[in-house]
């Protein structure tokens, strides 16, 4: 026997659940922001290039470069970096964008030089890239427009506005933010054909990412690219690089074998 709820109760329950999820995400975002403000000074300086063996150990994974978002620095990746380097088979570095950068293309050219440097120091032919927000677009531009697909096996993006975001309209004073708006010149370049691109893309997008308007802007759908979109449930923009569930899934995607990397699909992280 089924008991029916009075009319109007079910929508009220759903609205309450949504409100609770938003409140939890907001509390987490606040905690992450507070912690990051404490760590921020330690990430201002450029990372000293780590000494790597001329020949990588057998079975080692490709090096990973971490790319932060706008107004941020490498300190945002403290927890993710630890997770990626835990087993000792992966060389991990974080690249700071210059605070004077006003063109995403310039950041991508700098990334290209850094990738060549990492490959020379590690003896590897390929790297993986993980970009948060703006960092994901820098990675994409390098791969799609600067022939970076010959060096990059996988690009993972976290809350990256692949189709542009309309959030915080008053911030358009900054040229990099203008490049992240829908229809910008950079986004039109990235939407252009990229035939033969060999790099695999994995995009994490969250239903509660308030910096993405709409939230689906962080999905990557391009007819010429190997893509996988992973929806994250109940996690805000700032928490994406530090949440343990996201870190675990990033590690899983980077460890995926070659046959899995040739697929297009979707998944979720709750």
């Amino acid at each position: 026997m089924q008991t029916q709820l009075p009319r109007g109760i079910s929508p009220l329950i759903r609205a309450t659940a949504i409100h609770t999820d938003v409140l939890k995400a907001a509390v987490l975002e606040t905690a992450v922001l507070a912690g990051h403000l404490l760590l921020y000074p330690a990430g201002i300086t450029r990372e000293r290039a780590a000494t790597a063996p001329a020949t990588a150990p057998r079975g080692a994974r490709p090096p990973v470069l971490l790319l932060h978002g706008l107004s941020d620095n490498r300190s945002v990746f403290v927890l993710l970096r630890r997770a990626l380097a835990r087993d000792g088979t992966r060389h991990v570095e974080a690249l700071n964008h210059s605070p004077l950068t006003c063109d995403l293309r310039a950041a991508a050219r700098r990334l290209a030089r850094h990738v060549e440097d990492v490959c020379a120091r590690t003896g590897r032919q390929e790297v993986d890239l993980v970009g948060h927000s703006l960092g994901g677009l820098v990675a994409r531009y390098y791969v799609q427009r600067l022939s970076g697909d010959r060096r990059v096996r996988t690009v993972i993006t976290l809350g990256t506005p692949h189709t542009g975001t309309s959030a915080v309209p008053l911030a358009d004073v900054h040229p990099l933010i203008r490049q992240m708006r829908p229809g910008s010149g950079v986004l039109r370049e990235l939407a252009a054909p990229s035939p033969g691109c060999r790099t695999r893309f994995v995009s994490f997008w969250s239903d509660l990412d308030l910096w993405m308007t709409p939230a689906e802007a962080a999905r990557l759908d391009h007819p010429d690219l190997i893509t996988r979109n992973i929806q994250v449930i109940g996690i805000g923009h700032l928490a994406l690089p530090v949440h343990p569930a996201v870190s675990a899934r990033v590690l899983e995607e980077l460890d995926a074998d070659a046959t899995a990397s040739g697929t297009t699909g979707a998944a979720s992280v709750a």
Side-chain angles (χ1 to χ4, degrees):
M1 178 179 179
Q2 268 189 330
T3 301
Q4 289 189 344
L5 293 173
R7 186 184 301 271
I9 292 296
S10 292
L12 178 61
I13 291 175
R14 285 195 295 270
T16 301
I18 292 172
H19 178 74
T20 301
D21 289 342
V22 171
L23 182 60
K24 287 180 179 178
V27 170
L28 179 57
E29 287 283 276
T30 302
V32 170
L33 177 60
H36 188 40
L37 288 175
L38 291 175
L39 291 172
Y40 192 91
I44 292 175
T45 58
R46 180 181 178 182
E47 182 173 77
R48 189 164 46 184
T51 302
T55 303
R58 185 173 183 177
R61 277 86 167 183
V64 178
L65 295 183
L66 306 173
L67 309 169
H68 63 77
L70 184 69
S71 306
D72 217 330
N73 64 37
R74 59 188 176 86
S75 63
V76 72
F77 292 119
V78 168
L79 297 180
L80 178 58
R81 180 176 188 157
R82 186 178 303 166
L84 292 173
R86 185 172 295 134
D87 65 1
T89 64
R90 187 180 273 117
H91 179 82
V92 184
E93 292 186 15
L95 176 64
N96 272 356
H97 308 307
S98 169
L100 301 178
T101 299
C102 292
D103 187 354
L104 188 149
R105 302 173 186 88
R109 289 192 293 269
R110 183 168 180 265
L111 170 61
R113 294 192 295 270
H114 195 78
V115 167
E116 293 302 317
D117 177 62
V118 169
C119 288
R121 285 188 281 112
T122 61
R124 305 291 299 199
Q125 296 301 310
E126 289 185 313
V127 302
D128 292 327
L129 302 178
V130 178
H132 179 227
S133 196
L134 171 70
L137 288 181
V138 173
R140 269 191 73 190
Y141 198 92
Y142 165 55
V143 168
Q144 289 183 244
R145 310 302 298 176
L146 302 178
S147 302
D149 63 321
R150 66 186 178 86
R151 285 294 196 194
V152 180
R153 185 190 67 156
T154 301
V155 171
I156 292 184
T157 65
L158 308 172
T160 291
H162 291 293
T163 57
T165 177
S166 301
V168 198
L170 297 180
D172 277 0
V173 65
H174 198 294
L176 283 176
I177 292 181
R178 293 198 296 271
Q179 291 184 334
M180 291 190 283
R181 294 305 193 198
S184 74
V186 165
L187 293 185
R188 288 198 301 271
E189 287 185 62
L190 293 177
S194 296
C197 183
R198 295 170 289 182
T199 300
R200 174 190 180 225
F201 292 85
V202 182
S203 306
F204 286 74
W205 68 282
S206 174
D207 59 334
L208 294 182
D209 187 341
L210 300 183
W211 292 97
M212 296 298 110
T213 304
E216 291 80 8
R219 290 175 50 93
L220 175 56
D221 298 294
H222 190 295
D224 294 331
L225 302 181
I226 303 166
T227 62
R228 182 175 179 82
N229 290 297
I230 299 177
Q231 183 179 7
V232 181
I233 307 299
I235 298 175
H237 188 76
L238 299 178
L240 285 170
V242 303
H243 198 283
V246 176
S247 295
R249 189 56 185 269
V250 168
L251 192 62
E252 180 181 325
E253 292 295 330
L254 289 177
D255 285 342
D257 60 25
T259 56
S261 69
T263 63
T264 299
S268 64
V269 175

